[in-house]
Amino acid sequence: MRWEELDQQPCSLSRTLAVVGDRWTLLVLRDCFLGVRRFDEFEKRLGVTRHVLADRLKKLVEYGVLAKVPYQQRPLREEYRLTERGLELHSVMLALVSWGDRHMADERGAPIRHIHKGCGQVMRPVTVCSECGEPVAARDVQIEVGDGWQDATGELIPPRLARQAGNQDR
């Protein structure tokens, strides 16, 4: 599988990584959630080259994660704002931050606390079932081949799915 072909794979994770799967893009998204909106602010905070930053922002706009919104008419100046599609990545970002807080923080602990506005408490993200509301961990999920699966690319069904489907040959 080639990096530039990820968006064509029969896998939602591969397709998602084609949009947000490199470190600069994730850091741009982090800064978006922290309120950064303007190119120069991203450049200053991230220390990334203008070319790389422009490329990542362009891709996020193309995929509808960010929108360019004018904040000044003469001369025209635009800033980058999270779209609804972009805001839906918040839970993903929180999950990555939470993992980092648990496994990568030093003895001082987490560098940023996330406070739930509803109760005022420091929170950590928890994945719950959309149907019953129960917390869900990796061992609580059964996977099945869905209608969107395509085998035309030659990608093999993962062994766990093949066993469940009774298709041991794949």
Side-chain angles (χ1 to χ4, degrees):
M1 172 179 343
R2 298 180 58 159
W3 181 254
E4 57 275 355
E5 296 172 352
L6 282 179
D7 63 343
Q8 299 164 26
Q9 295 298 312
C11 169
S12 294
L13 181 58
S14 293
R15 292 173 184 165
T16 301
L17 288 174
V19 180
V20 299
D22 72 82
R23 62 183 171 200
W24 291 120
T25 302
L26 288 172
L27 293 173
V28 165
L29 288 170
R30 175 205 60 192
D31 281 3
C32 287
F33 283 110
L34 293 174
V36 176
R37 295 183 176 158
R38 298 185 181 165
F39 188 95
D40 291 343
E41 291 176 80
F42 287 115
E43 185 181 28
K44 182 179 177 184
R45 287 177 52 85
L46 298 174
V48 63
T49 66
R50 292 181 72 80
H51 171 74
V52 169
L53 178 58
D55 180 64
R56 298 321 187 268
L57 289 168
K58 180 181 176 186
K59 181 183 273 191
L60 290 169
V61 169
E62 285 175 1
Y63 279 96
V65 175
L66 297 178
K68 289 172 78 171
V69 178
Y71 68 88
Q72 177 180 310
Q73 291 302 321
R74 292 184 188 197
L76 178 63
R77 300 211 186 268
E78 297 173 310
E79 62 186 15
Y80 297 88
R81 300 238 178 151
L82 289 160
T83 62
E84 285 301 313
R85 185 180 280 197
L87 290 168
E88 288 180 11
L89 287 167
H90 188 255
S91 59
V92 174
M93 299 299 288
L94 267 182
L96 288 170
V97 168
S98 181
W99 186 90
D101 288 348
R102 283 193 309 275
H103 300 290
M104 303 302 291
D106 62 22
E107 63 279 350
R108 295 173 293 174
I112 295 176
R113 288 187 300 230
H114 293 87
I115 312 297
H116 180 228
K117 289 181 181 179
C119 69
Q121 298 297 310
V122 175
M123 50 89 45
R124 62 178 177 78
V126 177
T127 301
V128 298
C129 174
S130 61
E131 304 305 309
C132 70
E134 291 288 319
V136 177
R139 290 186 174 101
D140 300 325
V141 178
Q142 176 179 320
I143 55 175
E144 297 178 351
V145 174
D147 293 339
W149 180 264
Q150 307 165 4
D151 200 17
T153 62
E155 185 164 328
L156 300 177
I157 295 176
R160 187 169 165 192
L161 288 176
R163 284 192 301 274
Q164 288 175 354
N167 194 347
Q168 300 292 337
D169 296 336
R170 297 187 129 189

